[in-house]
C-alpha cells in the first residue's frame, strides 16, 4: 500500500493567515493526488484533484502543487468557513489511501 | 445534481454481517466506479473498495476475505456486505462516486453510522 503522510497533524491559525499543509507519498504517485475538506458531521468534499486542479465552485484562495512524492495545499487567506480537517488522498494505485488528516483550528 | 444516500441497520452484533445499500439519484450509475469508505469515530478515512457499474470489483486487500460488493443498475443502487464484524468495524460508512482519470471522489453520501455491539 502507498502510505500518505500529512504534516502537521494539527494547526492553529487566524482569519486572514496563509497556511500550508504538506503531504508525502511513500512512493511516486505522479500527480494522482487529491485534497478534501471535511467539517464535523459532514462528508468530505473535494477541493483540488490531479495535484493542482481546482474543483468547480471551490474558492480560488485554495491552491495546491506537487508531483512525485511531495505535495502541498495552500490557503492564501483563511476565512472562518475554512476551519476544518483536510485530507490528501492518492489515486495512483489501489488500495486508495488517505493521509491521516490535518485539523485546522482557530487560534 | 447527483445524490447518494446510504441505508441499512445502524446496529450490528459482533460476528454478524453488516449490510448497506447506496441509492444514486440525479444521474446514472453507468460509467463510474462506486466506492465504500469508512471513518471510525474521531479517526481518519479508510477506503474499503469499489465496484464498477459492470460489476467488476476492487477491494482493500486486508478486507477482501470479508467484503462483498454488488450493483443493481436497474435500481441505480450498489451494496456492501461486510462479514464477521467486530467492534473495530464501528464507523461512519460513506458511499461515494469516483471519476474516471484522474480518479477522484466527486460525490459522497451523507454517511451512516454503523455500531457493532451486542
Amino acid at each position: 500500500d502507498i502510505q500518505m503522510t500529512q504534516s502537521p497533524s494539527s494547526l492553529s491559525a487566524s482569519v486572514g493567515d496563509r497556511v500550508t499543509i504538506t503531504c508525502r507519498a511513500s512512493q511516486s504517485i505522479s500527480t494522482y493526488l487529491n485534497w478534501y475538506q471535511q467539517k464535523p458531521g459532514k462528508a468530505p468534499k473535494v477541493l483540488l484533484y490531479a495535484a493542482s486542479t481546482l474543483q468547480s465552485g471551490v474558492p480560488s484562495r485554495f491552491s495546491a502543487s506537487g508531483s512525485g512524492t511531495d505535495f502541498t495545499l495552500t490557503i492564501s487567506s483563511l476565512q472562518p468557513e475554512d476551519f476544518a480537517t483536510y485530507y490528501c488522498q492518492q489515486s495512483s494505485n489501489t488500495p486508495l489511501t488517505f493521509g491521516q488528516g490535518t485539523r485546522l483550528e482557530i487560534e | 445534481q447527483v445524490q447518494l444516500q446510504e441505508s441499512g441497520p445502524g446496529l450490528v452484533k459482533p460476528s454478524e454481517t453488516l449490510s448497506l445499500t447506496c441509492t444514486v439519484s440525479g444521474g446514472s450509475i453507468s460509467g463510474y466506479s462506486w466506492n465504500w469508505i469508512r471513518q471510525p469515530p474521531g479517526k481518519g478515512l479508510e477506503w474499503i473498495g469499489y465496484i464498477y457499474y459492470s460489476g467488476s470489483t476492487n477491494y482493500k486487500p486486508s478486507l477482501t476475505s470479508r467484503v462483498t460488493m454488488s450493483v443493481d443498475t436497474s435500481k441505480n443502487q450498489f451494496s456492501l456486505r461486510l462479514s464477521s464484524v467486530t467492534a473495530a468495524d464501528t464507523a461512519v460508512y460513506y458511499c461515494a462516486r469516483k471519476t474516471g482519470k484522474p480518479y477522484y471522489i466527486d460525490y459522497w453520501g451523507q454517511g451512516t453510522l454503523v455500531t457493532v455491539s451486542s
Side-chain angles (χ1 to χ4, degrees):
Chain A
D1 298 7
I2 298 175
Q3 306 302 316
M4 306 301 294
T5 304
Q6 287 181 234
S7 61
S9 295
S10 63
L11 175 60
S12 293
S14 301
V15 172
D17 284 354
R18 178 184 180 93
V19 299
T20 297
I21 298 168
T22 65
C23 178
R24 175 163 288 176
S26 59
Q27 65 187 70
S28 177
I29 58 171
S30 184
T31 57
Y32 290 100
L33 190 284
N34 309 309
W35 289 98
Y36 301 87
Q37 176 194 66
Q38 186 179 34
K39 295 183 178 179
K42 299 294 187 182
K45 163 191 163 184
V46 65
L47 299 175
L48 300 109
Y49 61 90
S52 61
T53 302
L54 196 66
Q55 175 72 337
S56 175
V58 174
S60 59
R61 62 181 180 272
F62 291 93
S63 64
S65 63
S67 66
T69 60
D70 294 314
F71 302 87
T72 60
L73 169 69
T74 298
I75 310 172
S76 61
S77 178
L78 275 172
Q79 298 303 299
E81 60 268 29
D82 299 338
F83 292 94
T85 300
Y86 293 83
Y87 293 94
C88 61
Q89 176 251 323
Q90 66 81 19
S91 56
S92 173
N93 287 12
T94 57
L96 305 183
T97 47
F98 293 84
Q100 80 278 17
T102 295
R103 184 173 179 178
L104 180 53
E105 300 174 314
I106 300 174
E107 190 165 49
Chain B
Q1 177 76 347
V2 174
Q3 293 185 312
L4 292 80
Q5 178 68 57
E6 305 89 352
S7 59
L11 181 64
V12 181
K13 289 182 169 55
S15 79
E16 295 190 345
T17 296
L18 177 160
S19 295
L20 295 174
T21 295
C22 183
T23 301
V24 181
S25 59
S28 173
I29 205 164
S30 299
Y32 295 93
S33 69
W34 301 92
N35 294 250
W36 290 97
I37 295 163
R38 67 181 181 179
Q39 185 171 37
K43 296 189 178 180
L45 298 161
E46 179 186 24
W47 177 77
I48 299 169
Y50 62 66
I51 185 166
Y52 277 108
Y53 67 98
S54 60
S56 63
T57 56
N58 190 318
Y59 303 147
K60 183 174 182 177
S62 61
L63 296 172
T64 292
S65 63
R66 299 196 292 131
V67 171
T68 304
M69 295 184 187
S70 59
V71 63
D72 186 337
T73 55
S74 67
K75 294 183 178 178
N76 252 27
Q77 292 178 334
F78 62 105
S79 298
L80 168 72
R81 288 172 58 86
L82 181 67
S83 64
S84 305
V85 296
T86 69
D89 295 310
T90 294
V92 174
Y93 285 76
Y94 294 101
C95 59
R97 188 181 87 168
K98 184 168 68 71
T99 70
K101 207 169 182 178
Y103 311 128
Y104 63 97
I105 306 290
D106 60 350
Y107 289 100
W108 299 70
Q110 66 185 23
T112 187
L113 175 63
V114 179
T115 302
V116 178
S117 175
S118 55

